Amino acid sequence: MPVRPMVGIVGSGGAYGRWLATFFRERMGLRVLGHDPADPDALPPAELLDTADVLLFSVPIRQTADIIDAWRVASAGRESGKLWLDVTSIKDAPVSAMLRTQAEVVGLHPMTAPPKSPTLKGRVLVLCEARVADWRTWIEQLVTALEAECVRADPVQHDRIMASVQAQVHALHLAQAGAIRRAGGLEALMPYRSVSFELDAAVIARMLALNPQIYEDIQFGNPYVAEALDVLREELERVHALVRAGDDAARAAFRTEVIGAAREAMAESLDAGQHTYERVGYLLADLAEPVALAVHLPEDRPGSLRALLATFERHRLNIGSIHSSRTPSGELHFRVGFDGAVDRAALDAAAQTLATEGIGTVLERRG
């Protein structure tokens, strides 16, 4: 195994392919080659097979196993001693295809779309180590560099779990999206929102805004999804039947068989879940403050945030909230919120001070 392996990405023009190329170059200091019809710098397969020490497949779920098989045939044994990886939401089929090669094999599943941040910090990475010997140390280096919460599973176990973690959740929200459409649409309902509804609406919007092929393939490409949806349908039908009955016996059954049974099964997780929900609720309240500045600090150094806060203090401005976030392009900034009675002239002066003293750049202003 080379100390600084060359990485080849099949699917380098896709969203994850581009993110991974940047990650390998900037976070691990590795040279990256790519193959993709959408990549203007793409190389032919033969060159990647000859040159790349690590070959990573980041291609549509439905095509992954067939593409891996085609590259295996083209490789004709040149992959021996190398490492093949895939990044897909389904693991059994692609890992099985890679195991038909002579390479060492690991399946990866980051539990997130390509993030705006440079690593997977705060996200989960599922690791399926199917055949690893000489590359084990490098895999650990990769996991460390990704900064993800790493969990290990075999490919079949992964797919069974994803039928619940992904497919059930997606199906439920897509069904909810249809129900919202039939109830008049999101714009008609959002003024009456609860925290729960706002969170669900955000998940639905996220799904509908991303590549629909991903959600289609997760439903249709995982052989365990139909069974998981059967379970979900049974639970919904049970609630529906009790509500339709509407009598005291149905209410008692609802309390014990629906809420009580679930509460008992999830007892150890309730406190943590409740705390997370409350935190998100507080965050939504802060984000709804009528006046706010989004400020980018150009210098990543100790004291930058202190200088930002000191500027508002100098202009006698009382901060209601402050959160770090990212712009759609991935630029880190701090969102500073104020109540509606804040002195707008003082706020203008503070923004000017931030700019003239080089403390920060106001990216957005609300109110």
Side-chain angles (χ1 to χ4, degrees), residues 3-324:
V3 176
R4 301 180 69 78
M6 181 87 70
V7 178
I9 298 178
V10 181
S12 53
Y16 240 118
R18 296 193 304 272
W19 186 88
L20 287 164
T22 300
F23 165 80
F24 283 121
R25 291 189 185 107
E26 297 184 359
R27 304 295 293 194
M28 298 190 73
L30 302 176
R31 186 180 171 196
V32 181
L33 308 175
H35 173 79
D36 194 308
D39 183 354
D41 299 319
L43 299 176
E47 190 165 345
L48 259 68
L49 290 169
D50 284 336
T51 310
D53 304 296
V54 176
L55 193 64
L56 186 149
F57 294 88
S58 179
V59 295
I61 299 168
R62 188 175 185 180
Q63 303 170 16
T64 303
D66 289 341
I67 289 173
I68 291 170
D69 275 330
W71 280 69
R72 171 183 58 82
V73 172
S75 182
R78 282 178 286 177
E79 74 279 3
S80 179
K82 298 183 179 182
L83 175 65
W84 281 27
L85 310 169
D86 85 293
V87 181
T88 45
S89 297
I90 295 170
K91 290 269 74 78
D92 190 25
V95 168
S96 295
M98 291 190 291
L99 284 172
R100 291 192 283 271
T101 73
Q102 298 178 42
E104 296 190 24
V105 173
V106 176
L108 305 174
H109 184 190
M111 297 299 295
T112 175
K116 295 181 177 70
S117 55
T119 70
L120 298 178
K121 187 175 182 179
R123 317 296 175 90
V124 170
L125 173 70
V126 184
L127 196 69
C128 298
E129 297 174 304
R131 184 166 61 215
V132 184
D134 295 340
W135 284 90
R136 184 168 300 280
T137 298
W138 189 84
I139 289 294
E140 294 302 326
Q141 293 171 358
L142 171 62
V143 169
T144 299
L146 284 168
E147 298 184 321
E149 179 184 337
C150 183
V151 294
R152 287 170 165 81
D154 66 67
V156 172
Q157 177 191 19
H158 167 278
D159 289 356
R160 287 187 178 277
I161 291 172
M162 288 306 122
S164 296
V165 172
Q166 285 192 311
Q168 267 187 355
V169 173
H170 296 166
L172 188 60
H173 280 99
L174 289 172
Q176 188 179 15
I180 288 171
R181 172 179 55 80
R182 293 168 66 174
L186 201 54
E187 290 185 3
L189 300 181
M190 279 298 283
Y192 307 93
R193 66 193 178 275
S194 64
V195 172
S196 298
F197 185 84
E198 188 168 1
L199 292 174
D200 279 354
V203 173
I204 291 169
R206 170 74 167 177
M207 291 177 60
L208 297 180
L210 295 180
N211 184 356
Q213 182 181 346
I214 294 172
Y215 298 100
E216 176 186 329
D217 287 350
I218 286 172
Q219 294 294 328
F220 288 85
N222 185 335
Y224 305 104
V225 168
E227 179 183 350
L229 294 185
D230 284 341
V231 173
L232 181 60
R233 182 189 60 198
E234 290 168 4
E235 293 295 327
L236 285 172
E237 287 178 347
R238 177 60 174 156
V239 173
H240 178 262
L242 293 173
V243 172
R244 277 290 188 191
D247 54 18
D248 288 343
R251 285 174 174 268
F254 182 83
R255 289 194 299 270
T256 58
E257 298 173 17
V258 178
I259 295 177
R263 178 183 291 168
E264 183 177 350
M266 300 175 64
E268 295 183 2
S269 305
L270 293 182
D271 287 345
Q274 174 73 350
H275 180 56
T276 297
Y277 183 90
E278 289 178 349
R279 290 170 63 194
V280 173
Y282 293 139
L283 174 61
L284 291 175
D286 287 347
L287 295 180
E289 284 177 320
V291 182
L293 295 180
V295 183
H296 171 61
L297 304 183
E299 296 186 21
D300 184 11
R301 59 174 177 79
S304 292
L305 181 57
R306 186 183 305 114
L308 172 67
L309 299 179
T311 301
F312 295 120
E313 183 178 358
R314 282 160 54 190
H315 290 274
R316 305 183 66 80
L317 292 165
N318 186 40
I319 293 173
S321 65
I322 182 167
H323 298 278
S324 63

Side-chain angles (χ1 to χ4, degrees), residues 330-365:
E331 190 174 47
L332 181 67
H333 68 274
F334 289 91
R335 186 188 186 282
V336 186
F338 307 87
D339 66 35
V342 67
D343 185 336
R344 300 310 202 271
L347 193 60
D348 290 340
Q352 184 62 38
T353 299
L354 293 173
T356 56
E357 296 185 7
I359 297 170
T361 303
V362 177
L363 303 177
E364 181 183 354
R365 176 168 175 171

